[in-house]
């Protein structure tokens, strides 16, 4: 090994330096490259499992163009919401606190949630945004006679994704208790494994507390979780990415 490196040094221009100067450094570089490749493979497999189980992974086509840069913040409250979302994405991994975006339709909740997702995906993280209705449909499919996946397997995969965002929290306001039980399970499991979860809802704090219970909301706010109120009128007609 040393003979090869010495010969390379002699024929290389003076301004070019080899990545290793001895045997130990060479094998350290090889090990680093191998470890990074292995991590990428693990992440790709995780994304493929999600796509197979849920039918898609990552951000829905409707919000593919939503970024922090094109979020229209006209008021101080909107700018504060934007800054909190950016901070959440920037600090992701330093804690497991989640987020709740609460407000009327068209106020930008989905835009900022998608922007967070895009930012994390670019960092190599796995992200899944799914409506409560879609989530329940997937779980109901596990009860079919020839289902390929069990309820436990699906629950486990949803708990493994780096960030899970549940949209339309509050639809279950008119639904069965099964939905509330499932959301409780997801929140309990993910917070127990220090995995953050996001929620998007049209309900007020009092309403969502009545639907999910104070215990769930307490867990959502653990480890510096954030609650952002989108308490302004809809500006859906003003932006290209629907909220």
């Amino acid at each position: 090994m040393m003979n090869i490196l010495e010969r390379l040094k002699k024929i290389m221009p003076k301004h070019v330096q080899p990545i290793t100067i001895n045997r130990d450094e060479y094998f350290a570089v090889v090990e680093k490259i191998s470890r990074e490749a292995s991590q990428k493979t693990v992440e790709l497999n995780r994304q493929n499992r999600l796509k197979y189980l849920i039918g898609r992974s990552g951000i829905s086509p409707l919000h593919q163009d939503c970024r922090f840069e094109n979020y229209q913040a006209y008021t101080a409250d909107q700018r504060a919401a934007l800054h909190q979302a950016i901070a959440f994405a920037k600090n992701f991994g330093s804690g497991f606190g989640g987020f709740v975006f609460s407000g009327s339709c068209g106020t930008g909740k989905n835009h900022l949630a998608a922007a967070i997702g895009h930012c994390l995906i670019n960092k190599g993280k796995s992200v899944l945004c799914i409506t409560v209705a879609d989530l329940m449909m997937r779980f109901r499919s596990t009860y079919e006679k020839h289902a390929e996946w069990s309820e436990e397997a699906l629950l486990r995969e949803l708990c493994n994704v780096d960030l899970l965002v549940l949209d339309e929290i509050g639809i279950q306001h008119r639904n069965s208790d099964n939905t509330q039980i499932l959301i409780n399970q997801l929140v309990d499991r993910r917070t127990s494994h220090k995995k953050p979860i996001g929620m998007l809802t049209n309900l007020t704090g009092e309403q969502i507390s009545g639907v999910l219970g104070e215990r769930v909301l307490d867990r959502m706010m653990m480890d510096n979780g954030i609650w952002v109120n989108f308490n302004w009128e809809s500006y859906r007609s003003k932006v290209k990415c629907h909220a």
Side-chain angles (χ1 to χ4, degrees):
M1 178 64 64
M2 288 303 297
N3 290 336
I4 295 174
L5 291 174
E6 289 300 325
R7 288 199 295 270
L8 283 173
K9 283 183 181 180
K10 290 179 180 180
I11 63 175
M12 278 195 272
K14 291 183 179 180
H15 67 279
V16 176
Q17 295 295 323
I19 46 176
T20 60
I21 59 174
N22 59 50
R23 180 186 180 90
D24 290 340
E25 289 185 354
Y26 171 81
F27 284 110
V29 170
V30 172
E31 182 181 359
K32 181 174 183 266
I33 293 173
S34 176
R35 184 170 59 251
E36 290 176 351
S38 177
Q39 290 172 348
K40 289 180 180 178
T41 299
V42 169
E43 185 55 44
L44 181 60
N45 288 338
R46 182 189 301 177
Q47 291 283 12
N48 287 337
R49 286 199 306 272
L50 279 172
K51 191 170 184 179
Y52 182 73
L53 284 167
I54 306 299
R56 64 175 176 81
S57 60
I59 315 301
S60 70
L62 181 63
H63 302 110
Q64 282 298 322
D65 295 326
C66 294
R67 301 291 190 277
F68 294 131
E69 293 78 12
N70 59 17
Y71 180 78
Q72 301 299 311
Y74 301 107
T75 69
D77 286 342
Q78 290 167 355
R79 288 190 290 272
L82 174 60
H83 292 156
Q84 285 182 282
I86 291 173
F88 181 88
K90 180 180 178 180
N91 299 322
F92 190 85
S94 61
F96 62 92
F99 65 82
V100 178
F101 290 169
S102 171
S104 301
C105 298
T107 51
K109 301 186 302 295
N110 287 89
H111 187 128
L112 288 185
I116 290 172
H118 284 301
C119 182
L120 297 183
I121 289 172
N122 288 337
K123 293 180 180 180
K125 303 296 183 181
S126 55
V127 176
L128 176 65
C129 300
I130 186 169
T131 67
V132 170
D134 284 343
L135 183 69
M136 292 308 298
M137 181 179 68
R138 298 303 173 185
F139 270 93
R140 282 195 293 270
S141 70
T142 66
Y143 307 142
E144 296 175 359
K145 185 175 181 180
H146 300 293
E148 295 185 48
W149 294 86
S150 67
E151 178 181 0
E152 178 59 30
L154 179 53
L155 188 60
R156 185 168 56 250
E157 291 298 330
L158 290 170
C159 290
N160 284 337
V161 66
D162 292 318
L163 176 65
L164 174 66
V165 180
L166 300 180
D167 191 10
E168 297 182 357
I169 297 286
I171 295 297
Q172 74 276 13
H173 205 37
R174 304 183 297 273
N175 236 329
S176 68
D177 290 339
N178 290 335
T179 308
Q180 298 174 37
I181 292 171
L182 175 58
I183 293 175
N184 273 262
Q185 283 183 302
L186 284 171
V187 172
D188 282 347
R189 286 206 187 191
R190 287 188 63 83
T191 53
S192 295
H193 289 83
K194 296 187 175 181
K195 294 276 192 175
I197 187 169
M199 291 185 178
L200 310 180
T201 181
N202 296 338
L203 302 181
T204 65
E206 184 178 353
Q207 288 172 330
I208 195 172
S209 178
V211 170
L212 299 181
E214 292 185 7
R215 181 174 177 275
V216 169
L217 296 188
D218 284 343
R219 280 185 169 266
M220 288 293 299
M221 295 298 104
M222 288 174 63
D223 200 31
N224 299 316
I226 61 172
W227 186 299
V228 183
N229 288 314
F230 290 64
N231 55 355
W232 47 84
E233 292 183 1
S234 171
Y235 58 0
R236 181 166 284 171
S237 61
K238 298 179 182 179
V239 293
K240 292 173 67 176
C241 176
H242 297 316

